[in-house]
Amino acid sequence: MTDAQQTAAADPGLAPSEPSGPAPVPLLAPREGVPPVVADEESLAGVVAAFAAGSGPVAVDAERASGYRYGQRAYLVQLRRAGAGTALIDPVACPDLGALGGELAVTEWVLHAATQDLPCLRDIGMVPTRLFDTELAGRLAGFARVGLGVMVETVLGYSLEKGHSAVDWSSRPLPEPWLRYAALDVELLVDLRDALEEELTRQGKFDWALEEFAAIAAAPPPPPRKDPWRRTSGVHKVRRRRQLAIVRELWTARDQVAQRRDLSPGKVLSDAAIIAAAQAAPVDVRALAGLHGFGHRMGRRQLQHWQTAVDRARALPETELPQPGQQVSGPPPPRSWPEKDPAAAARLTAARAAVTAHAEELNLPQENLLAPDVVRRLCWEPPADREPAAIAGALRALGAREWQIARTSDSLAQALAAEA
């Protein structure tokens, strides 16, 4: 019986009623009820003191308003720690959580899909030095499905409430059912962490997980994305440079409006509308209004704003038009390798097969054994020496962790030597 199940047996807030017939998965309930949202400095100081005095790892989660608001800021932060209970903090009312982050800096943070939450937590002053990612731990342990709800049910035997993951967390006040859902996200996160550590240790993979977690904690913020407008959905349908310029101008105009109004860009103008305008290159507002996404609900002022962006693109000299295809560092897309470099294509086929076979032996996803980008870069520009030591050095230079290098350098050396 896990700690969570023992707690449930002794706590009526968690314990399910006696079932009749096949036992259903019990629905988890917050042990102390839903706490009030911390929305002022005095209450925040109390949370800081309580969590500083707590013990053991701290479960951390954050809710964003993706699809509703501009950017990826946090609109609710949830924490739970032994001795402190659960706290729900409004980072809009309390935008600086640096004092809390400082008190917990040396504590192990338990997150699910840490890389999704760390950027917005960093923005409000919360940066861990040690962490445990339960989603990544599940992948390394070989679980086929690693969503938080599935993991809690599979490992701990409890069902989390569903239905509020995609709501507008920027709403105020937040409804009680949403807060209950948010509190439950951290209710058993430490219990899940402990069970996964036990499973990883049993499989001999716990040290691998520690290397992965350390790499996540030490990773710097990602650099700004180059030419983000190229990620417009459907841009592959746009072939001509003048049309690409229209995509770029409309994307930039939309982004400025979205940022000013704090709205998700898709709520300002859809990607489909941008692509339709790029393909049609309308000469005036009337022509624009007839396109998909620029319907009768859009006022003339809005239409003129978008038409002005189109006109800017139409007026650009040839020298300022964007080139088709994004300039990227590193190797070209693998689909072009057979034509560009048949030997590299053969290396990639052999290396992928070696990594896939070994990942299956270890019961973990291929991409967690070795990142696909690392495999591609190694195969595109392999070291002249194909011995395992040289391959290990190349993998290390590409950012592979030591446990990954130890388990792939020999098989990759064999695959590349066979190709050579």
Side-chain angles (χ1 to χ4, degrees):
M1 181 179 288
T2 67
D3 291 344
Q5 290 165 331
Q6 291 172 347
T7 302
D11 188 331
L14 279 178
S17 58
E18 286 296 322
S20 57
V25 177
L27 185 66
L28 186 64
R31 277 168 269 196
E32 300 96 9
V34 178
V37 177
V38 173
D40 60 75
E41 294 302 321
E42 182 179 355
S43 300
L44 178 60
V47 168
V48 173
F51 275 78
S55 61
V58 57
V60 183
D61 191 25
E63 304 295 347
R64 300 177 298 279
S66 304
Y68 296 93
R69 297 292 178 179
Y70 186 86
Q72 293 296 315
R73 68 172 295 182
Y75 284 95
L76 187 70
V77 175
Q78 310 100 279
L79 303 100
R80 184 173 179 84
R81 193 181 193 191
T86 298
L88 304 179
I89 303 174
D90 180 357
V92 177
C94 302
D96 184 2
L97 301 188
L100 178 60
E103 289 291 348
L104 298 174
V106 297
T107 302
E108 182 187 79
W109 294 22
V110 184
L111 304 101
H112 192 80
T115 54
Q116 294 183 20
D117 287 338
L118 288 178
C120 69
L121 291 169
R122 184 183 293 114
D123 289 343
I124 53 179
M126 297 189 65
V127 183
T129 56
R130 292 193 300 133
L131 63 84
F132 188 107
D133 186 333
T134 51
E135 182 194 55
L136 180 52
R139 293 182 186 279
L140 294 175
F143 286 88
R145 300 170 61 199
V146 292
L148 179 58
V150 173
M151 292 290 289
V152 167
E153 185 170 327
T154 302
V155 178
L156 301 178
Y158 282 91
S159 176
L160 295 178
E161 290 187 9
K162 302 177 178 67
H164 301 303
S165 60
V167 299
D168 183 3
W169 289 97
S170 68
S171 301
R172 293 295 184 272
L174 289 168
E176 195 276 341
W178 297 12
L179 296 176
R180 175 187 175 91
Y181 165 91
L184 290 174
D185 274 356
V186 293
E187 185 79 17
L188 293 183
L189 207 49
V190 173
D191 297 89
L192 180 60
R193 173 240 179 272
D194 292 343
L196 288 171
E197 177 181 349
E198 182 178 335
E199 178 61 22
L200 288 168
T201 301
R202 186 187 68 79
Q203 296 184 24
K205 298 176 180 177
F206 185 56
D207 288 342
W208 308 356
L210 292 180
E211 282 193 52
E212 292 297 306
F213 302 155
I216 294 173
R225 194 182 298 275
K226 183 181 179 182
D227 289 346
W229 61 270
R230 291 185 184 271
R231 293 178 62 84
T232 305
S233 179
V235 73
H236 63 281
K237 303 175 185 176
V238 179
R239 304 294 185 184
R240 298 176 182 175
R241 294 175 64 199
R242 183 74 60 185
Q243 293 174 327
L244 285 172
I246 295 175
V247 173
R248 182 178 63 186
E249 293 296 331
L250 281 173
W251 187 97
T252 302
R254 180 184 69 174
D255 194 66
Q256 292 169 348
V257 172
Q259 188 169 7
R260 185 174 68 249
R261 296 173 59 189
D262 190 19
L263 288 174
S264 168
K267 286 188 171 296
V268 175
L269 187 68
S270 70
D271 281 6
I274 291 178
I275 299 303
Q279 291 176 322
V283 296
D284 54 32
V285 168
R286 184 172 182 177
L288 181 68
L291 300 178
H292 173 77
F294 300 92
H296 63 279
R297 295 185 179 181
M298 192 173 288
R300 185 170 182 84
R301 177 179 292 184
Q302 289 177 290
L303 287 169
Q304 186 57 60
H305 180 77
W306 306 127
Q307 183 61 45
T308 299
V310 173
D311 292 342
R312 282 197 300 270
R314 291 171 59 89
L316 285 174
E318 290 287 331
T319 55
E320 295 182 21
L321 297 178
Q323 294 294 332
Q326 189 171 6
Q327 298 297 317
V328 295
S329 61
R335 63 179 179 273
S336 67
W337 288 24
E339 180 179 347
K340 291 178 179 292
D341 189 338
R347 288 194 294 269
L348 184 61
T349 298
R352 280 174 166 173
V355 172
T356 298
H358 198 36
E360 291 175 353
E361 293 173 3
L362 297 172
N363 189 31
L364 51 78
Q366 175 184 343
E367 62 271 18
N368 290 115
L369 176 57
L370 200 60
D373 184 62
V374 170
V375 177
R376 287 193 294 268
R377 288 173 183 268
L378 174 70
C379 294
W380 186 250
E381 295 182 341
D385 182 354
R386 305 291 174 87
E387 292 300 312
I391 298 297
L395 291 174
R396 192 171 291 112
L398 290 169
R401 264 72 71 192
E402 292 302 318
W403 76 268
Q404 296 174 319
I405 295 169
R407 280 148 192 86
T408 60
S409 56
D410 284 351
S411 57
L412 285 173
Q414 292 174 9
L416 299 186
E419 175 276 327

